[in-house]
Amino acid sequence: MESLWDQSCANSLNGDLLLERVYTSRLLGQETDLVLHGGGNTSVKAEIKNFFGDLEEVLYIKGSGWDLSTIESAGFAPVRLTVLQRLAELTSLSDSEMVREQRAAMLDPYAPNPSVEAILHAIIPYRFVDHTHADAVVTLTNNSEGLARVKEVYGEQVLIIPYVMPGFILAREIRNLTKDVDWHKYQGMILMNHGIFSFADDAKTAYERMIYLVTLAEEYLVKQNAVQFAEATGQTDLLTLSKIRQAVSQVKGTAMIAQLDQRAEAVGFANLPNISNIATRGPVTPDHVIRTKPIPVIFPSDQQADVTQAVNQYAENYHQYFLRNNPGDLKELDLSPRWGIWPGYGTLSFDQTLSSAQIITDIIEHTLRAIQMGEKLGGWQALSEKDLFDMEYWELEQAKLGKSANTPELRGKIAVVTGAASGIGKACVEVLAKQGAVVVGLDMNPAISEIFNKPGLVGIQANILDEKAIQEAIALTVQKFGGLDILVSNAGIFPASETIENLSQDTWEKSLNVNLSSQRSLLQSAIPFLKQGIDPTIIFIGSRNVLAPGPGAAAYSVAKAGLTQLARVAALELAADGIRVNTIHPDCVYDTGIWTADILASRAERYGLTVDEYKSRNLLKQPVTSQEVAQMVAAMAGKLFGKTTGCQLPIDGGNERVI
Ligand code: ZN
């Protein structure tokens, strides 16, 4: 591992200790082989002036919720050093007491909660203390001969601490173990099955000691020929993937994203002949357990096997694990797995948001390497079940249960919207995403891939008339997110006004093809996946013309009436699978692309109205916005309409002819 230290960058910090702390914390955070997503912590001891101008010694320690790769000065909590040192002398301190006392000792009440390792950092007699969960180091220790190997690699350069649960008891343990130790003989400290500390009185030395010590472990692994990872190519079975996601979501009780990792290493790992043994021995470092649970669900390699059964069995096993380890008064977490091994296909991560599923995917990427290296060293051996349980159910995590902030209603849901580049379709994508869904927007306009291009929001160019392109877009949705729950059929055209007498074959056919026939193939592509969705729903954007047609709009009104009938039949056919099908009939929506200023002016003139009068031609005298239609679509996708199917709902400001 290379040092990323840049002297000119460091010089620009003018010797400011906190800025130097920020700088090397970010250097550590950039290296995913050292820390992942909020893992690890760093500190610096400094004298600062309090409000009254008196100097006080504080420990600036990483605040919880901050990530080393992006941390700023505000991410470090200034805690009075003497208080932390006194806390270390106690014989017992509960985690909630520790959090309270640490907060009470902060010089800035608005700073984040200090890391749970603050007391440990405080008792290490060096100015800069760096802590990571370096893959190479934990791999060495997660081994049947871990202790011997650590000694072999490091000799007398480091202190070696047996595994103790992080937090106060770890700090107390280390304080006791090091009472008569001369810290200055050591460059760092290895915590068995957990990670590594390095320390020094300046930022550069502490950081470079970390790099040096981790490099020793990496070089050792290379020398032992341990750095070899299986690779393979994954198969595709999207229906089974969505079945897996449905089963996991049902156990969890809410919609989950399923992220399938088919990189060569993920598939190679899943295909290992002893995978169900080695993948279930526990995680790389204990704090992963909060995100991944102790073990993954292992799906059978037999393609005919029942994946739902595997998830249900996992849930039962997890419940037994809880009963075995619960000392009596703990609240059981949900029973669903957070990751899975799918032989032949790859690895899977499950969580309620794409970003947290991605974090799990990143953790798995490092875990599967560590496990294979551990096996090459004579046998991967993680912490005991009891230790993992204590971590997963520790007081601070339990305290968070039931306190989650308002979750957006459609979190974990997967949606597809057609005609998504502008107008109502675009608004639907935005509102569904805002309410927590991941959304794929389809449109024939190539700009769609630019309009929606960020994690959880994807634009795909596809012409609704191109059956194959639509099929592929639906398949890509399932491949990316694990399933499909919400289909919003919005794509359509509004042909120029022609009376029946003069209606051209072209106008007629085009309207019927786009507004009606294409919907059949869209449904046919989506239904098999919707059947395995979570509270699945189809929402058609119809038109006021269905119930109150206008002269000159035969091609449009007939197609939209056919679409409405298609939706009604779909509601009848799909109710048994729990799929709700409803139609929204908007009118007076003028903020879409087709309503240019010129068209509006000419229409208004034809009716002898001003543009404003024309736009409010309804009983409530108010135009309807795309946004308002989209909000109705999102409501229809949610619980409010959970018992409604086969309905037609106007959003038109009130129309006498419809009423
Ligand atoms: Zn740690």
Side-chain angles (χ1 to χ4, degrees), residues 136 155 168 456 549:
F168 169 73

Side-chain angles (χ1 to χ4, degrees), residues 163 193 281 283 294 321 381-390:
Y163 179 77
N193 310 93
R281 293 187 203 158
Y321 149 82
Q381 185 182 304
L383 286 169
S384 73
E385 177 179 292
K386 179 76 178 76
D387 285 323
L388 292 173
F389 180 87
D390 287 346

Side-chain angles (χ1 to χ4, degrees), residues 82 92 97 111 119 130 244 265 287 327 329 452 468 480 484 585:
T82 48
S92 79
E97 287 167 341
I119 300 174
D130 298 18
I244 288 173
E265 279 191 14
D287 76 11
D329 52 352
F452 300 116
K468 190 159 168 285
K480 261 182 121 54
L484 179 61
H585 292 316

Side-chain angles (χ1 to χ4, degrees), residues 39-41 116-117 131-133 166 170 191 194-197 285-287:
N41 41 61
V116 294
E117 309 290 17
H131 168 50
T132 72
H133 302 144
L170 174 61
L191 307 183
H194 174 166
I196 173 170
F197 277 77
T285 183
D287 76 11

Side-chain angles (χ1 to χ4, degrees), residues 356-407:
S356 45
Q358 181 62 50
I359 289 174
I360 296 171
T361 300
D362 292 345
I363 291 174
I364 299 169
E365 188 186 348
H366 288 260
T367 303
L368 61 88
R369 286 179 155 228
I371 290 177
Q372 289 177 83
M373 290 192 285
E375 281 296 281
K376 296 259 165 44
L377 290 184
W380 173 255
Q381 185 182 304
L383 286 169
S384 73
E385 177 179 292
K386 179 76 178 76
D387 285 323
L388 292 173
F389 180 87
D390 287 346
M391 191 71 193
E392 189 182 2
Y393 280 86
W394 78 341
E395 202 181 322
L396 297 178
E397 291 300 324
Q398 285 274 301
K400 287 183 200 162
L401 293 177
K403 279 193 191 162
S404 57
N406 286 345
T407 50

Side-chain angles (χ1 to χ4, degrees), residues 403-423:
K403 279 193 191 162
S404 57
N406 286 345
T407 50
E409 177 168 9
L410 301 177
R411 193 165 82 165
K413 291 292 189 80
I414 303 161
V416 166
V417 178
T418 68
S422 62

Side-chain angles (χ1 to χ4, degrees), residues 86-270:
R86 282 190 69 187
L87 289 174
E89 289 165 20
L90 298 171
T91 47
S92 79
L93 181 70
S94 75
D95 290 317
S96 352
E97 287 167 341
M98 177 180 80
V99 169
R100 189 187 64 214
E101 292 309 311
Q102 288 181 352
R103 276 206 74 79
M106 296 197 318
L107 260 68
D108 175 0
Y110 304 113
N113 266 341
S115 155
V116 294
E117 309 290 17
I119 300 174
L120 173 52
H121 282 252
I123 59 169
I124 296 176
Y126 283 96
R127 191 179 281 287
F128 284 86
V129 177
D130 298 18
H131 168 50
T132 72
H133 302 144
D135 287 353
V137 175
V138 263
T139 299
L140 274 190
T141 74
N142 279 346
N143 199 270
S144 46
E145 292 158 38
L147 188 59
R149 291 186 190 275
V150 169
K151 286 182 175 160
E152 188 184 338
V153 172
Y154 294 111
E156 298 293 311
Q157 300 180 82
V158 295
L159 279 160
I160 302 171
I161 310 292
Y163 179 77
V164 180
M165 168 117 171
F168 169 73
I169 53 169
L170 174 61
R172 187 190 59 193
E173 179 80 4
I174 289 175
R175 183 177 170 276
N176 291 339
L177 286 172
T178 57
K179 261 186 183 145
D180 304 315
V181 160
D182 176 9
W183 281 85
H184 291 87
K185 287 198 331 216
Y186 301 104
Q187 307 196 37
M189 179 164 71
I190 305 290
L191 307 183
M192 297 299 288
N193 310 93
H194 174 166
I196 173 170
F197 277 77
S198 65
F199 27 73
D201 283 327
D202 66 278
K204 181 176 187 224
T205 309
Y207 167 72
E208 290 195 332
R209 281 180 172 174
M210 176 66 71
I211 302 301
Y212 163 73
L213 293 170
V214 172
T215 303
L216 289 183
E218 288 180 337
E219 287 170 353
Y220 179 83
L221 292 171
V222 171
K223 260 189 253 150
Q224 300 288 316
N225 287 321
V227 190
Q228 295 169 35
F229 311 110
E231 293 191 357
T233 308
Q235 311 162 54
T236 308
D237 179 352
L238 297 178
L239 275 175
T240 305
L241 173 60
S242 68
K243 186 91 195 145
I244 288 173
R245 175 204 172 238
Q246 184 190 42
V248 171
S249 301
Q250 281 170 347
V251 170
K252 171 83 178 165
T254 175
M256 303 274 266
I257 303 294
Q259 197 172 50
L260 173 63
D261 187 349
Q262 295 209 294
R263 283 175 292 197
E265 279 191 14
V267 183
F269 181 67

